[in-house]
Amino acid sequence: MASETQAPTSSCVDAGGSAIGMPQLCGDWMGNQIFWLVVTLLVMFFILSKIALPRIASVLAERQGRITNDIAAAEELGKKAQEAEAAYEKALAEAKAEAGRIVAEAKAEMKAEMDVEIAKADAEIAAQAAESEKKIAEIREGALEAVKEVAMDTAQDIVTAMGGKADAKSVTAAVNERMKG
Amino acid sequence: MASETHSEGGSGLEFHPMDQFIVKPLFGDGPVGMFTVTNVTLWMAASVLAVVLLLIVGTSGRAIVPSRSQSVAELAYGFVYKMIEDVTGKDGLKYFPYIMTLFMFVLFSNVLGLIPTAFTTTSHIAVTAVLAVGVFLSVTILGLVKNGAAFLGLFWVSSAPLALRPVLAVIELISYFVRPVSHSIRLAGNMMAGHAVLKVFAGFAASALIAPFAIGAITAMYALELLVACVQAYVFTILTCVYLKDALHPSH
């Protein structure tokens, strides 16, 4: 090694700068290591207990608190939403019932009106039908008379044309006879 | 060690897998005294800087909806917090800042040590032993202060047959005092072994013939070491929680 001329500074290092045996067992260095270890541990303990750990603990506590609060708020909102839904359902049911009632009322009213109208129309129709029947009967009566007269005249004319003597009485009787049949 | 035998041969391959663990002064070449500013100082300061960047600069927004760095900081916070709560119980949360300090220090020391040419402070038994002994002493004293003589119930297995209890007490006592040893050597050993293996593969990369294999091996080892770095930080912390639980609730 480079430092061959230099005398070893420790009984645990040979002239070439290499370790003699295990450096872990070298008594010359232990005091130094123990001193710096104690210093390091004290500094680290101070840093951790005074600054780092309280800070992390407060952050974790704050987060836990925030989470708890948020969950509580969410539960509150959920309850409100459920209440709103229930109110909505109730209003809907009420509105449906109201609508049903109005429809039934309107139906009943309309039915009553229609019944009255129908009855009126029926009565009118019946009256007109009766009148028409009377007229038809009159017309039929008139028609029968006319047919009788025409038949008698025609029969007298036919008899005369055939060269026979038309006897008004017998023609009437014959026509009456035929008309009945 | 290996360096002596190989450097004498003068071949192209030189292995100094342990040199990366040498403690050097940052300024000058003098001896390493107790208060010398060394590479240990540099990399421990780097871990402090990383903690500041992540946990303070990263969370400076204090946002309700976190930014990326704030998310990571909150993740680290929640990870350790949850670990203490699960393992130790609610009454262990008082000690959260201490355990968080341990976790952050070990995690960042391990991960920063993986930067090429970095010095891994947690690969030194002196460092991990101080951590482990600190945990051991504070947990033991805490247990004695909180529970008094009842703390000794930890060693008296009341669910075992009476004849077996003294034997078990001896075993429990030994296992209790071995805790800091295993606690510290587990972390330092894992870190040291991984870095030494990386260095050995790096030494092989000097030979053109096996360089592709060596570089592939370094890549794979690096990924594994990244995992080990995080897992060892986790293991160190959860063991601390387990020991704390024993101190707070000594009954079996």
Side-chain angles (χ1 to χ4, degrees):
Chain A
M1 287 230 161
S3 57
E4 62 211 42
T5 51
Q6 204 167 18
T9 52
S10 165
S11 59
C12 309
V13 179
D14 64 17
S18 287
I20 302 168
M22 276 172 66
Q24 278 83 357
L25 299 180
C26 178
D28 293 5
W29 298 332
M30 285 187 178
N32 181 270
Q33 288 175 313
I34 291 167
F35 169 73
W36 288 114
L37 173 66
V38 170
V39 170
T40 305
L41 287 179
L42 287 178
V43 169
M44 207 179 268
F45 177 75
F46 179 80
I47 289 171
L48 285 176
S49 61
K50 291 284 174 251
I51 310 170
L53 299 183
R55 182 188 288 178
I56 296 175
S58 77
V59 167
L60 291 178
E62 197 181 324
R63 181 174 310 145
Q64 196 55 48
R66 175 72 88 74
I67 288 170
T68 313
N69 281 351
D70 283 2
I71 286 174
E75 268 171 12
E76 183 83 2
L77 287 176
K79 228 167 79 184
K80 269 188 190 165
Q82 269 180 352
E83 273 168 19
E85 201 192 335
Y88 165 77
E89 293 279 349
K90 206 175 138 218
L92 193 69
E94 267 171 18
K96 266 186 183 161
E98 178 76 12
R101 201 178 53 72
I102 289 171
V103 165
E105 234 170 55
K107 257 188 191 164
E109 216 168 90
M110 269 164 69
K111 195 163 179 262
E113 252 171 48
M114 253 164 75
D115 282 352
V116 170
E117 290 289 324
I118 285 171
K120 228 160 86 182
D122 276 354
E124 236 164 69
I125 288 167
Q128 269 181 9
E131 208 169 297
S132 305
E133 226 150 274
K134 221 172 83 196
K135 269 187 190 159
I136 288 168
E138 264 170 30
I139 290 167
R140 188 177 280 162
E141 203 78 5
L144 272 177
E145 274 315 295
V147 167
K148 222 186 217 171
E149 243 163 72
V150 169
M152 269 193 282
D153 287 351
T154 313
Q156 232 163 346
D157 285 348
I158 291 171
V159 169
T160 317
M162 298 276 274
K165 204 171 165 217
D167 183 1
K169 234 186 201 169
S170 57
V171 167
T172 307
V175 168
N176 275 348
E177 182 81 6
R178 273 291 188 184
M179 291 274 289
K180 260 180 213 164
Chain B
M1 280 190 85
S3 59
E4 291 160 30
T5 51
H6 279 275
S7 53
E8 277 165 14
S11 70
L13 291 181
E14 283 201 25
F15 294 100
H16 302 288
M18 304 311 276
D19 283 8
Q20 58 179 323
F21 303 119
I22 293 175
V23 176
K24 303 186 203 77
L26 271 190
F27 311 105
D29 280 326
V32 175
M34 187 147 181
F35 309 114
T36 317
V37 177
T38 56
N39 47 359
V40 176
T41 320
L42 174 70
W43 289 100
M44 283 188 180
S47 69
V48 172
L49 186 70
V51 167
V52 168
L53 280 179
L54 176 65
L55 294 183
I56 294 183
V57 178
T59 60
S60 56
R62 298 166 196 251
I64 288 286
V65 178
S67 62
R68 281 186 215 176
S69 56
Q70 193 184 326
S71 280
V72 175
E74 285 171 9
L75 210 67
Y77 182 99
F79 177 71
V80 177
Y81 195 90
K82 191 100 199 330
M83 195 197 300
I84 301 173
E85 203 174 25
D86 288 349
V87 176
T88 315
K90 288 264 182 219
D91 47 353
L93 290 176
K94 241 189 309 179
Y95 311 101
F96 173 56
Y98 300 93
I99 293 175
M100 186 73 175
T101 306
L102 279 182
F103 176 72
M104 282 327 232
F105 174 74
V106 174
L107 179 70
F108 277 116
S109 295
N110 289 354
V111 173
L112 289 174
L114 280 173
I115 297 171
T117 74
F119 177 80
T120 318
T121 52
T122 40
S123 67
H124 276 263
I125 290 167
V127 171
T128 58
V130 170
L131 293 175
V133 169
V135 168
F136 177 77
L137 285 181
S138 46
V139 157
T140 307
I141 293 168
L142 188 74
L144 283 172
V145 168
K146 282 239 164 191
N147 304 293
F151 181 63
L152 299 176
L154 190 62
F155 308 112
W156 196 251
V157 188
S158 51
S159 56
L162 191 62
L164 272 179
R165 282 184 205 172
V167 183
L168 284 177
V170 173
I171 295 171
E172 288 283 334
L173 206 63
I174 293 171
S175 82
Y176 187 81
F177 282 98
V178 167
R179 274 178 181 184
V181 178
S182 62
H183 202 189
S184 58
I185 291 182
R186 180 183 299 110
L187 175 58
N190 267 292
M191 288 299 108
M192 186 188 74
H195 285 75
V197 168
L198 277 175
K199 204 72 172 184
V200 168
F201 278 126
F204 273 119
S207 158
L209 263 180
I210 40 180
F213 166 74
I215 290 168
I218 289 173
T219 313
M221 275 305 292
Y222 194 89
L224 180 69
E225 280 309 299
L226 209 55
L227 180 73
V228 167
C230 298
V231 167
Q232 285 305 318
Y234 172 70
V235 166
F236 193 90
T237 318
I238 203 161
L239 279 174
T240 306
C241 290
V242 170
Y243 299 161
L244 184 62
K245 190 206 84 183
D246 281 348
L248 297 176
H249 316 284
S251 55
H252 262 279

